[in-house]
Amino acid sequence: MGIMLRIYTSKNSAQAKSYFAKELSRGDYYFGKDDVPGIWGGKAAQILGLSGHTEQSVFNNLVDNIHPETGDTMTARHRINRRAGFDISFNTPKSFSILAEYSGDERLLKAFRDAVHSTMEELETEVYTRVRKDGSNEIRRTGNLVYSAFEHYTSRAVKGHVPDMNCHMHCFVPNLTFDEVEQQWKAAELINIRRDAPYYEARFHSYLSNRLTELGIDIESDGKYWKIAGISKETVDKFSNRTKEIEEYIAANNIQDDKAKDQVGAQLRTAKVEGLSKHHLRDIWWNRLDDQEKETLDRLSAFKPDDTDAQTQQKQIQERMINADKYLDYALRLHLERQSVLPLSRLKESALREGFGDITAHDIDRAIAQRKDLIILPLKDRVMVSTLDVLHEEEAITQFVVNGYATQQKYHDNYVIPKLVDHSRNTDIELSDEQKKLFKVC
């Protein structure tokens, strides 16, 4: 299973406008002529007075760095072939796409949309811009962006196959943000968002998987991700032709680098299939299923949330907080075993991945706020975290070194290191060349 949140850079406005016309607004890979409009989002969209459906003329203006209302150039710095924007894509597990298509239940799609927009809302808080005024050379948080979200429900076709279902959303972000300090539009810096993309990916999946649990759908862990319980790998494989094509290409070409692997999908991209109706496509899909698979999907499609009273709801909230603490403890053990401090976003990512279906990012945030053993270290553009236990260990080690400094005679060059034994395991300790060298300089 590949990366489920990707951030691509649109290098120039011509590329972005072509992408809108040929890819984003086509809505789905089986559509031949019907366009599906995007939806505006983000605080910067509100500043510009943009809401509702995305018109290509407005989209074109923004990627051309032109104010859609006044026609003026928006940013003070404008160069030919300036970076036009960023495409942030959110992908769901194949089991979700299968159930969403088979059931036709709008609640699943609403949960998906809410997960995307909720994640974009948090991601937006980490938008920065460069500050060059009065000789400055730094970045400043703006906390706003404008984006247009386009829903797609199929993958690209593989030669010899029709497209498979693949529920995903593209959020195209024009390269603009409003700097309230200088009261002007500037180019957006997404460096922190790129850096913490694994966290935002986990946050999106945490929200979606937890919402499905609330709807009465069982969730199972699937490596770094999750899947809907009951939908077998055999069923998933029947609708994963593009994934299979990419994996076979990677294996055949012995591609090891993760970034190179991520580029394979773009390299193998084919033209969109036209002339297939959704009805025709579904007939082809469901003919791949045997009777048992159809019975399973019929059963899973009948999901419904449990009826709960106020007392039960309160109990569920308490259980969520207990779970959040448990997953937070897991993440702390995972990372602080070999390091004394780590980014808060990485800690939260690990806790969320361990708790898919049980907790959300808000649960983890509340658990962190209530912990007395955590040390939060806000740096200029990143928050780090450690614990009191780790601090005490570091202090003890430091004091041990200080107390032992210059208390023993220095080893001479001909010093022979004695045989060292690990008595707990009754085995000899073999020192590396670097460790042996250290003995003679201390």
Side-chain angles (χ1 to χ4, degrees), residues 116-140:
V116 170
H117 293 297
S118 173
T119 304
M120 286 297 294
E121 186 176 340
E122 180 174 347
L123 176 151
E124 182 177 29
T125 65
E126 285 299 312
V127 177
Y128 283 70
T129 193
R130 293 184 182 275
V131 178
R132 297 292 182 265
K133 195 171 184 179
D134 298 328
S136 297
N137 185 15
E138 57 185 17
I139 60 174
R140 175 164 57 224

Side-chain angles (χ1 to χ4, degrees), residues 378-432:
L379 302 182
K380 186 174 183 180
D381 63 345
R382 196 169 205 185
V383 178
M384 307 297 284
V385 64
S386 189
T387 67
L388 290 174
D389 285 344
V390 170
L391 175 63
H392 295 155
E393 289 177 3
E394 293 287 312
E395 289 174 340
I397 292 171
T398 302
Q399 193 59 48
F400 175 80
V401 173
V402 170
N403 292 343
Y405 183 75
T407 60
Q408 302 295 326
Q409 186 175 0
K410 195 173 184 179
Y411 294 119
H412 54 79
D413 289 340
N414 296 323
Y415 177 78
V416 177
I417 301 173
K419 181 178 180 181
L420 302 175
V421 179
D422 183 347
H423 295 286
S424 64
R425 300 181 182 180
N426 197 28
T427 58
D428 293 345
I429 299 175
E430 291 293 332
L431 299 182
S432 67

Side-chain angles (χ1 to χ4, degrees), residues 33-60:
K33 51 189 176 183
D34 294 330
D35 288 342
V36 174
I39 301 294
W40 291 116
K43 292 179 181 178
Q46 297 174 18
I47 296 173
L48 289 167
L50 300 176
S51 62
H53 292 162
T54 305
E55 296 180 2
Q56 178 154 15
S57 59
V58 177
F59 180 94
N60 289 354

Side-chain angles (χ1 to χ4, degrees), residues 93 176 217 224 236 268 317 328 332:
L176 295 162
I217 299 173
K224 287 177 60 179
V236 168
L268 300 181
I317 293 174
L328 192 57
L332 287 167

Side-chain angles (χ1 to χ4, degrees), residues 186-282:
K186 292 184 174 182
E189 279 292 337
L190 271 60
I191 184 171
N192 290 358
I193 295 170
R194 288 182 179 278
R195 180 196 64 200
D196 291 334
Y199 162 68
Y200 294 113
E201 178 185 74
R203 189 203 185 285
F204 162 72
H205 284 285
S206 176
Y207 185 105
L208 180 56
S209 60
N210 181 73
R211 183 69 188 113
L212 297 189
T213 300
E214 292 175 345
L215 288 171
I217 299 173
D218 291 334
I219 299 301
E220 291 181 343
S221 175
D222 189 18
K224 287 177 60 179
Y225 302 103
W226 56 275
K227 60 184 177 181
I228 294 176
I231 299 180
S232 68
K233 182 179 183 301
E234 290 72 23
T235 301
V236 168
D237 287 345
K238 290 180 179 180
F239 303 103
S240 303
N241 288 303
R242 180 151 170 79
T243 298
K244 182 180 178 182
E245 177 190 43
I246 291 172
E247 290 175 348
E248 288 177 348
Y249 183 90
I250 289 173
N253 292 274
N254 194 29
I255 299 174
Q256 303 294 329
D257 181 71
D258 288 339
K259 289 186 177 180
K261 288 180 181 179
D262 198 34
Q263 302 278 333
V264 171
Q267 294 172 16
L268 300 181
R269 180 172 288 176
T270 58
K272 291 186 174 184
V273 175
E274 297 188 3
L276 284 175
S277 70
K278 189 67 171 286
H279 178 75
H280 183 203
L281 197 55
R282 281 174 170 157

Side-chain angles (χ1 to χ4, degrees), residues 199 321 324-329 331-332 343-349 351-352 360-377 383-386:
Y199 162 68
M321 290 309 300
D325 257 331
K326 178 179 67 175
Y327 296 129
L328 192 57
D329 283 337
L332 287 167
L344 181 59
S345 59
R346 189 171 300 165
L347 176 72
K348 291 162 67 173
E349 177 206 345
L352 289 174
T360 66
H362 296 305
D363 297 322
I364 289 296
D365 286 340
R366 283 194 294 266
I368 290 173
Q370 294 178 13
R371 295 285 289 251
K372 304 299 183 184
D373 60 329
L374 296 184
I375 301 173
I376 307 298
L377 307 166
V383 178
M384 307 297 284
V385 64
S386 189

Side-chain angles (χ1 to χ4, degrees), residues 288-317:
R288 298 176 188 172
L289 301 175
D290 60 32
D291 290 341
Q292 184 176 352
E293 289 172 316
K294 291 178 181 178
E295 289 176 5
T296 297
L297 290 174
D298 285 335
R299 174 177 54 81
L300 292 174
S301 298
F303 62 86
K304 61 179 182 179
D306 295 332
D307 294 329
T308 55
D309 53 26
Q311 185 175 1
T312 303
Q313 289 178 353
Q314 185 60 36
K315 183 179 179 181
Q316 289 175 343
I317 293 174

